[in-house]
Amino acid sequence: MLIVDRSFDIISPVIHDYYYQNIVYDVREVGENGKTKADNRTVYLNEQDELWVRFRNRHLAYVMNRVNAEAQAVIKDSKKGSKLKTDEMNL
């Protein structure tokens, strides 16, 4: 076995898994049972969190595209709902 300084290993810093779970663990301090803090709330990243289960093993680019598409769909649906309510009020 040869032990060398990181300055000899130029590839390791560039290799990184860009999966959602890995990025979350890098950015957030995640404790036991997936417990983390987000906006002054305690969030549990576990099997009961639908988004975590769906996206944790996906590439970050896929997750960003899917979440953006789903958010746009929710916005579009909410605009339709508010328009219907306004039209109903005018009757």
Side-chain angles (χ1 to χ4, degrees):
M1 176 165 52
L2 179 64
I3 300 174
V4 295
D5 185 10
R6 277 284 192 191
S7 62
F8 290 105
D9 186 10
I10 59 173
I11 297 298
S12 290
V14 213
I15 298 174
H16 189 279
D17 291 330
Y18 290 101
Y19 292 94
Y20 185 62
Q21 184 173 7
N22 296 343
I23 299 297
V24 168
Y25 276 76
D26 285 349
V27 174
R28 296 269 184 206
E29 185 177 321
V30 181
E32 291 183 32
N33 301 326
K35 182 179 177 180
T36 186
K37 293 277 188 183
D39 300 326
N40 297 324
R41 295 180 300 141
T42 300
V43 178
Y44 291 92
L45 304 174
N46 57 25
E47 301 300 317
Q48 295 170 345
D49 184 348
E50 178 191 341
L51 292 177
W52 179 252
V53 171
R54 277 193 332 183
F55 293 134
R56 67 180 167 200
N57 296 322
R58 297 287 192 151
H59 194 272
L60 189 60
Y62 173 84
V63 173
M64 289 174 53
N65 287 333
R66 263 327 287 156
V67 168
N68 189 28
E70 289 179 20
Q72 292 300 323
V74 168
I75 291 169
K76 188 176 178 181
D77 287 344
S78 71
K79 285 182 181 178
K80 283 182 183 178
S82 65
K83 183 177 180 185
L84 288 174
K85 289 178 185 175
T86 305
D87 290 342
E88 290 171 0
M89 286 185 206
N90 292 334
L91 292 176

